[in-house]
Amino acid sequence: MAERRTIRNDLLARVEGEGALLVQIAGGQVADVKLKIYEPPRFFEAFLRGRAFTEAPDITARICGICPVAYQMSSVQAMEQICGVQVDGQLRALRRLLYCGEWIESHALHVFMLHLPDFLGHESAIELATHDRELVSRALELKKVGNELMTVVGGREIHPVNVRVGGFYRAPRKRELTALVDRLERAREVALEAVEITAGLDFPDYEHDYELVCLAEPDEYPIDRGRIVSNRGLDIAVAEYDEHFVEEHVEWSNALHSRVVGRGSYLCGPLARFSLSADRLSPMAREAASEAGLEAEERNPFRSIVVRSVELVYAADEALRLIADYEEPDAPAVPVEPRAGVGYGCTEAPRGILYHRYQLDADGTILDAKIVPPTSQNQKAIEEDLRGVVERSLDVPDDELTLLCEQTIRNYDPCISCATHFLKLEIARS
Amino acid sequence: MHLVRDPLPQARDRAILKVIGIGNPWRRDDAAGLAAARRLQEILPADVDVREEAGEPTALIDALDGADAVWLVDAVSSGVEAGTVHRVDASQRALPAELFAPSTHHFGLAEAIELARALGRLPRTAVAFGIEGSTFEAGDGLSPPVDAAVGEVAERVRAEVAAWTGAP
């Protein structure tokens, strides 16, 4: 087949932010694949300079309306490291609880509203709702529980205002949290149904041998802290991130591409977390994963929708555990005094690891900031998947191939606004 | 169990009317819908449920629940003269996406309305007013043409509510 084909989509739908895709096929082979992130760069790192260390959680939260908690958690972790402060006990538990709210909100949105329509052949969640009103109603119910958790712990459902370096401005009362128990139990049921529904979908036959990168903790599923590990033997402290990962500019993207030094692309997010920490899920989430037939090391990116559903079960389950164990702390925060130094933070945003590094002077002024969001880190893996998927589907007509490419991108739940601090689709056959 | 969680609506002899102003108070003209809601709070009968929303779609769909009629006011940016008032009867047709679907982070109002329609949760009467803004930069305070348009929309909503209820 010597024809030249161009498959393109100039404005990708059902992803967060603005980007495009270009695939060029020449002589029956994939000549080029570019995920073009044209949403303008947002310069957050630059305007953090000169601000007080205490402002970082609220400023960086504004990078994303879907994962603000991730930004807050990575930034406070870095600041607390510089200031020599440990936030443990119930304050740490509250942070994990807040993060569970974000996972529920973000995963429910992606699984049902953004990703599921691809598998069921619907153009949008609205079309899905006209075919299955009950399913979409349950999805909204699930997302709402995430919103409520964010509101009770974070003070607001989007861009929470209650997080500070050292802890919180106000710790919730026990009764405010126990009031959420019934709805969280219902959310966990809906999440279990989501695992069952997604496990029964038809998945494109595609696997890739990824380097999977995520956080790891000895006794818990990674969310709010941990060492950075991979299935290729990486096992480092967060402070060593810059020695093992580099960012580079490519002309077709306003988001920097990341790679592992000496190796190349890697994948972060649900597939990585599940593959490396499935044994640390709660028994209920583990059983749901097992019944869904997930592999010990999941390499089919389309099955990320099942893994996200399992993580929804876990987030609801973990929130219930944290609430049951909650005791109101004596103070909502521990005192923090600024000091000069460099600090590092890394937490598991719903779409993967989010790395922050800050340098402060002695009075706590930010001298330098570096933020590496998960979608930047996944760009290379997304392009490799697109190449792999298109290579297996060269005889598919352009319109179907375009849809398949979009679905491949949505496997990553990309957050383009985060990545530019980052989608359009273009397939060129020539 | 279903009945415990979702009791049947109380028997009522009067219709439930809602006005929902949507916007961000810290992005200048984006606050037009909120400003309209505040004026309407003062001039509408006390039994009309007037509320302010940030535009988060699930919260918006929840806010529609139970209403027999709803009037929504939001700021729009379609490129026409600032202060221009757009009116769409959403019970008759979908909101034009070029007016009401501006957000990349979330569904816009147009999608929230269509999702509510698909879910059978759109009130029988649903009217959307869009106020064309000119400045959406950080800060508070409406631009003069938008401020004037807020007054106009408040008066038009008041008249439509009165006509709906048959009040003089």
Side-chain angles (χ1 to χ4, degrees):
Chain A
M1 197 161 72
E3 60 168 336
R4 297 169 71 85
R5 299 164 73 190
T6 302
I7 308 278
R8 60 195 295 162
N9 180 327
D10 292 333
L11 180 60
L12 286 161
R14 282 186 277 129
V15 296
E16 199 293 315
E18 293 170 6
L21 172 69
L22 171 69
V23 177
Q24 289 186 305
I25 301 165
Q29 293 210 318
V30 181
D32 196 18
V33 174
K34 285 191 172 87
L35 179 66
K36 296 177 156 184
I37 295 184
Y38 59 83
E39 179 160 320
R42 296 165 67 200
F43 307 114
F44 268 83
E45 289 145 311
F47 63 67
L48 280 158
R49 289 183 193 161
R51 307 301 295 235
F53 75 110
T54 50
E55 294 180 286
D58 291 316
I59 292 175
T60 59
R62 287 286 165 170
I63 292 174
C64 188
I66 299 180
C67 52
V69 172
Y71 285 89
Q72 294 186 320
M73 294 298 130
S74 290
S75 64
V76 295
Q77 194 185 91
M79 297 307 178
E80 287 157 9
Q81 186 188 32
I82 299 172
C83 303
V85 165
Q86 284 277 7
V87 174
D88 271 318
Q90 290 301 328
L91 293 177
R92 188 258 164 161
L94 279 174
R95 286 182 167 177
R96 193 168 168 92
L97 181 61
L98 177 62
Y99 225 136
C100 287
E102 179 161 286
W103 274 30
I104 293 170
E105 195 181 354
S106 177
H107 277 4
L109 175 71
H110 190 260
V111 167
F112 290 97
M113 315 301 268
L114 306 181
H115 210 190
L116 192 56
D118 279 331
F119 293 94
L120 300 179
H122 296 304
E123 202 176 290
S124 68
I126 294 165
E127 195 183 297
L128 174 59
T130 60
H131 287 83
D132 195 339
R133 185 182 280 188
E134 188 53 36
L135 178 69
V136 174
S137 296
R138 289 201 299 271
L140 289 173
E141 198 185 337
L142 182 60
K143 184 176 184 301
K144 191 173 162 188
V145 175
N147 289 1
E148 286 169 348
L149 199 48
M150 299 262 287
T151 303
V152 170
V153 184
R156 196 160 67 171
E157 63 200 19
I158 306 171
H159 304 309
V161 291
N162 192 30
V163 173
R164 64 187 291 182
V165 180
F168 293 89
Y169 290 98
R170 174 187 175 275
R173 307 303 306 263
K174 175 93 176 176
R175 65 169 185 277
E176 292 177 90
L177 297 181
T178 51
L180 295 169
V181 167
D182 285 354
R183 272 164 288 168
L184 277 164
E185 286 173 347
R186 172 72 187 135
R188 190 171 57 182
E189 283 170 35
V190 175
L192 284 166
E193 286 174 55
V195 177
E196 209 178 308
I197 292 166
T198 56
L201 298 170
D202 283 332
F203 296 98
D205 183 22
Y206 171 77
E207 292 195 340
H208 188 77
D209 187 15
Y210 304 102
E211 173 151 10
L212 302 163
V213 176
C214 62
L215 295 180
E217 278 274 275
D219 302 316
E220 60 191 19
Y221 199 70
I223 300 181
D224 58 318
R225 67 184 186 190
R227 289 174 67 79
I228 300 171
V229 302
S230 89
N231 57 337
R232 305 259 164 92
L234 187 78
D235 184 356
I236 58 169
V238 173
E240 297 171 277
Y241 180 93
D242 291 323
E243 296 164 36
H244 295 270
F245 297 90
V246 288
E247 287 186 294
E248 56 200 6
H249 176 73
V250 295
E251 61 173 339
W252 61 92
S253 178
N254 285 340
L256 297 171
H257 277 209
S258 293
R259 58 182 168 83
V260 183
V261 172
R263 291 201 285 273
S265 73
Y266 59 101
L267 178 152
C268 62
L271 239 51
R273 292 190 292 255
F274 177 80
S275 295
L276 297 173
S277 284
D279 58 334
R280 279 153 269 185
L281 286 165
S282 64
M284 191 183 285
R286 215 160 45 222
E287 193 184 321
S290 157
E291 281 173 16
L294 287 171
E295 302 286 339
E297 192 173 301
E298 193 52 63
R299 292 164 185 272
N300 182 339
F302 294 91
R303 289 170 70 85
S304 63
I305 191 171
V306 191
V307 176
R308 262 182 213 99
S309 302
V310 168
E311 289 194 338
L312 274 167
V313 175
Y314 177 72
D317 215 20
E318 178 71 351
L320 284 162
R321 181 188 73 80
L322 291 163
I323 290 172
D325 294 347
Y326 181 61
E327 291 166 21
E328 293 173 18
D330 295 331
V334 295
V336 183
E337 289 301 323
R339 62 188 198 194
V342 177
Y344 310 84
C346 191
T347 63
E348 288 282 356
R351 32 203 72 65
I353 54 170
L354 169 62
Y355 171 74
H356 288 216
R357 184 193 70 203
Y358 299 93
Q359 185 182 359
L360 302 184
D361 71 8
D363 69 2
T365 302
I366 299 171
L367 300 175
D368 184 56
K370 177 177 180 176
I371 296 173
V372 189
T375 299
S376 295
Q377 303 182 64
N378 279 333
Q379 282 180 107
K380 275 193 185 307
I382 295 173
E383 290 187 344
E384 288 177 3
D385 276 359
L386 284 166
R387 182 177 287 273
V389 165
V390 172
E391 275 170 358
R392 283 164 181 74
S393 316
L394 286 169
D395 50 351
V396 171
D398 282 5
D399 53 346
E400 272 180 57
L401 191 53
T402 301
L403 274 176
L404 188 59
C405 287
E406 289 180 24
Q407 190 178 0
T408 304
I409 294 167
R410 285 192 280 268
N411 287 337
Y412 286 82
D413 186 10
C415 189
I416 296 173
S417 299
C418 284
T420 59
H421 321 218
F422 154 133
L423 225 82
K424 272 172 156 183
L425 178 69
E426 204 171 340
I427 304 183
R429 300 193 194 231
S430 58
Chain B
M1 191 58 203
H2 177 76
L3 287 174
V4 174
R5 206 179 272 130
D6 304 297
L8 295 169
Q10 286 181 339
R12 51 190 167 86
D13 53 10
R14 67 172 60 189
I16 294 178
L17 306 185
K18 293 187 181 181
V19 170
I20 304 174
I22 301 157
N24 179 341
W26 308 114
R27 293 297 289 270
R28 302 291 309 273
D29 286 345
D30 197 70
L34 306 178
R38 278 169 210 168
R39 286 192 206 181
L40 282 158
Q41 184 83 62
E42 289 168 13
I43 61 176
L44 283 174
D47 58 355
V48 178
D49 180 353
V50 181
R51 49 177 84 190
E52 298 177 24
E53 289 286 340
E56 198 281 322
T58 50
L60 212 48
I61 293 170
D62 284 345
L64 299 173
D65 276 344
D68 296 287
V70 64
W71 287 264
L72 300 131
V73 189
D74 198 359
V76 300
S77 176
S78 69
V80 301
E81 196 183 338
T84 303
V85 174
H86 311 262
R87 181 189 182 279
V88 183
D89 183 348
S91 45
Q92 300 297 322
R93 66 182 183 102
L95 300 185
E98 65 274 20
L99 285 180
F100 292 97
S103 172
T104 61
H105 289 262
H106 289 294
F107 287 12
L109 178 59
E111 286 113 328
I113 293 275
E114 288 320 299
L115 191 52
R117 195 194 310 276
L119 295 170
R121 292 168 68 180
L122 188 66
R124 296 186 270 136
T125 298
V127 177
F129 281 92
I131 298 174
E132 188 77 23
S134 63
T135 171
F136 295 91
E137 64 199 23
D140 60 351
L142 302 175
S143 63
V146 169
D147 192 47
V150 165
E152 178 198 330
V153 168
E155 182 49 40
R156 286 173 69 177
V157 171
R158 192 202 61 75
E160 290 194 23
V161 168
W164 203 94
T165 53

